[in-house]
Amino acid sequence: MAYVVPNGTEEVTVEQLIGLCKDNLASFKKPKEVFIVEELPKSSYGKILKREMKQKHVEVIQ
């Protein structure tokens, strides 16, 4: 699973990202799912809060 935050210079689609991964990554490294998000949850120290990302993913599935 991959969460992608676009930098705003171009429109990015999930299909483009999956194609890029197919061309540049080994098969075992390719993400099965790609999510485009506005921003990643971060702590006050700037670390990405993986627990919050997992909780949001579970909420979306249910």
Side-chain angles (χ1 to χ4, degrees):
M1 175 180 328
Y3 288 91
V4 178
V5 179
N7 63 4
T9 59
E10 292 185 30
E11 286 289 322
V12 179
T13 63
V14 174
E15 292 80 20
Q16 289 174 332
L17 294 170
I18 291 174
L20 186 66
C21 290
K22 283 182 182 180
D23 294 341
N24 296 308
L25 294 176
S27 62
F28 69 93
K29 290 186 177 185
K30 289 185 246 179
K32 293 181 179 147
E33 297 177 90
V34 176
F35 299 100
I36 298 175
V37 295
E38 294 294 319
E39 63 180 327
L40 297 174
K42 293 184 181 179
S43 71
S44 59
Y45 293 107
K47 293 179 113 181
I48 295 173
L49 300 173
K50 295 176 186 174
R51 288 184 186 159
E52 285 188 21
M53 292 172 58
K54 289 178 186 177
Q55 288 174 351
K56 288 181 183 180
H57 181 72
V58 169
E59 291 172 2
V60 170
I61 292 175
Q62 294 175 355

